[in-house]
């Protein structure tokens, strides 16, 4: 379950693109010429390596991309708070930069919040939507404080121990956190200026800021894309009832609960996740991929 073995056997492209004003790191596999792609968006303080276990299996049928959002990973970190509109703008600029007419957008945690708002604001650019333990509906002060504390500690007091604690919070079984994942995230969190960037990232844990960005049943009802809601039986941010609420509010949505997972089912149970997600995407795969299957 280490990072490199998951992608070493395939053909991948890791690099940067200028997405509007943001120099953006991304990785992709599959048909680089396709104007549709599966796009994976990580969560708060995350980075594209959250999807190394998913990239190649998806690339067998789709152009597949994961990126570091504005302020995250090794993408640019402008000195302002990152609210949902900034992420949505960045994602739109990223799609334009890579020539993506439409995307199968998958968002995990904060990434789900971004993906849902993107689907609301830009329905013509979304082929399908997958919300993986998505944020944006819950406003639980205790969870918000926990996210803030464990994340800021991992950056302000960056060490293998504090970063590991942050990653273990994502997993149902702490042993699923590997040494190379800790080492990578520690390198990201100790970049010059990253503490300031993390303060901007965590602005959404401030109740006043959060409330002007939240998703609502009414806003979710405007989503027109076919939607898969993935929740887990041990998610630390919200109960299964939140996943059920997402699925009820979105007109063309279905909910699947993954067992023995917390907040990173795409990593914790990658094989099951890949089957589930690819089955959902199968009707929308390029014709050549469908015939080959």
């Amino acid at each position: 379950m280490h990072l490199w073995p998951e992608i070493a056997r395939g053909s991948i492209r890791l690099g940067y693109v200028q997405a509007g004003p943001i120099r953006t790191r991304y990785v992709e596999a599959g048909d680089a010429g396709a104007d549709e792609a599966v796009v994976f968006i990580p969560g708060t303080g995350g980075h594209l390596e959250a999807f190394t276990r998913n990239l190649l299996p998806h690339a067998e049928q789709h152009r597949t991309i994961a990126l570091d959002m504005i302020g995250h990973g090794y993408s640019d970190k402008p000195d302002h708070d990152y609210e949902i509109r900034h992420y949505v703008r960045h994602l739109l600029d990223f799609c334009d930069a890579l020539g993506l007419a439409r995307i199968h957008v998958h968002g995990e945690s904060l990434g789900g919040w971004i993906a849902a708002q993107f689907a609301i604001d830009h329905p013509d650019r979304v082929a399908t939507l997958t919300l993986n333990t998505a944020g944006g509906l819950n406003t639980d002060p205790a969870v918000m404080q926990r996210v803030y504390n464990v994340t800021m500690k991992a950056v302000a007091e960056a060490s293998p121990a504090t970063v590991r604690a942050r990653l273990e919070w994502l997993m149902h079984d702490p042993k699923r956190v590997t040494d190379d994942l800790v080492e990578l995230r520690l390198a990201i969190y100790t970049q010059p200026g990253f503490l300031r960037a993390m303060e901007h990232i965590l602005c959404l844990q401030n109740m006043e800021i959060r409330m002007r960005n939240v998703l609502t049943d009414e806003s979710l009802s405007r989503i027109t894309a076919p939607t898969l809601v993935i929740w887990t039986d041990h998610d630390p941010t919200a109960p299964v009832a939140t996943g059920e609420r997402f699925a009820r509010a979105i007109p063309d949505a279905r909910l699947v609960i993954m067992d023995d997972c917390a907040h990173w089912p795409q990593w914790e149970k990658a094989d099951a996740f890949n089957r589930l997600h690819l089955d959902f995407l199968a009707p929308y795969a390029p014709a050549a991929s469908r015939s080959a299957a």
Side-chain angles (χ1 to χ4, degrees):
M1 201 188 293
H2 294 266
L3 294 172
W4 182 246
E6 299 294 339
I7 53 177
R9 71 184 186 279
S11 178
I12 64 166
R13 299 171 292 280
L14 176 66
Y16 290 82
V17 67
Q18 194 67 32
I22 306 301
R23 184 173 184 261
T24 303
R25 186 178 72 123
Y26 73 102
V27 63
E28 74 170 322
D31 179 7
D35 65 357
E36 287 193 6
V38 175
V39 176
F40 287 111
I41 306 174
T44 298
H47 40 88
L48 59 84
E49 285 82 6
F51 302 104
T52 52
R53 304 195 72 201
N54 319 114
L55 191 67
L56 292 182
H58 282 74
E60 293 176 6
Q61 299 179 28
H62 304 268
R63 183 181 183 183
T64 303
I65 297 168
L67 75 154
D68 291 342
M69 293 299 295
I70 178 175
H72 285 69
Y74 290 105
S75 291
D76 280 351
K77 301 164 182 65
D79 191 13
H80 62 77
D81 285 348
Y82 311 131
E83 299 191 38
I84 297 301
R85 69 181 183 277
H86 300 116
Y87 293 115
V88 169
R89 179 75 245 182
H90 179 219
L91 182 57
L92 183 64
D93 288 340
F94 179 79
C95 291
D96 288 346
L98 290 188
L100 298 173
R102 296 201 308 165
I103 59 175
H104 303 277
V105 59
H106 169 287
E108 180 267 326
S109 193
L110 169 62
W113 192 347
I114 297 164
Q117 192 63 54
F118 187 82
I120 293 165
D121 293 347
H122 303 286
D124 58 319
R125 304 298 291 269
V126 177
T128 66
L129 171 65
T130 302
L131 303 179
N132 175 357
T133 61
L137 268 181
N138 268 21
T139 53
D140 184 333
V143 172
M144 292 162 61
Q145 192 63 49
R146 174 65 173 152
V147 171
Y148 183 89
N149 288 346
V150 71
T151 306
M152 283 304 295
K153 186 177 180 67
V155 180
E157 304 173 27
S159 70
T162 59
V163 170
R164 182 175 289 278
R166 175 64 171 83
L167 289 164
E168 288 181 350
W169 181 75
L170 301 169
M171 312 287 181
H172 180 43
D173 182 351
K175 293 192 293 293
R176 292 170 181 159
V177 176
T178 59
D179 291 343
D180 59 345
L181 184 58
V182 172
E183 185 176 355
L184 171 66
R185 187 164 287 205
L186 181 61
I188 289 172
Y189 282 7
T190 53
Q191 293 175 86
F194 199 83
L195 181 61
R196 180 73 172 166
M198 187 57 80
E199 291 171 347
H200 291 317
I201 290 168
L202 291 173
C203 74
L204 291 169
Q205 308 309 318
N206 174 292
M207 186 63 78
E208 180 181 352
I209 296 174
R210 190 181 190 90
M211 291 309 296
R212 65 174 177 253
N213 286 273
V214 290
L215 299 166
T216 65
D217 292 344
E218 188 281 327
S219 67
L220 292 170
S221 74
R222 302 202 299 272
I223 292 174
T224 57
T227 300
L228 175 64
V229 179
I230 300 174
W231 221 260
T232 69
D233 58 348
H234 289 87
D235 183 69
T237 65
V240 170
T242 301
E244 293 170 343
R245 184 179 166 198
F246 270 112
R248 283 196 306 271
I250 299 169
D252 185 11
R254 67 182 180 95
L255 171 68
V256 176
I257 311 299
M258 290 187 62
D259 296 330
D260 188 31
C261 298
H263 207 49
W264 264 27
Q266 81 286 347
W267 173 278
E268 297 177 83
K269 294 288 183 177
D271 290 345
F273 170 89
N274 290 334
R275 286 193 299 271
L276 169 66
H277 197 228
L278 285 167
D279 283 350
F280 168 66
L281 295 174
Y284 314 102
S289 296
R290 290 200 300 272
S291 60

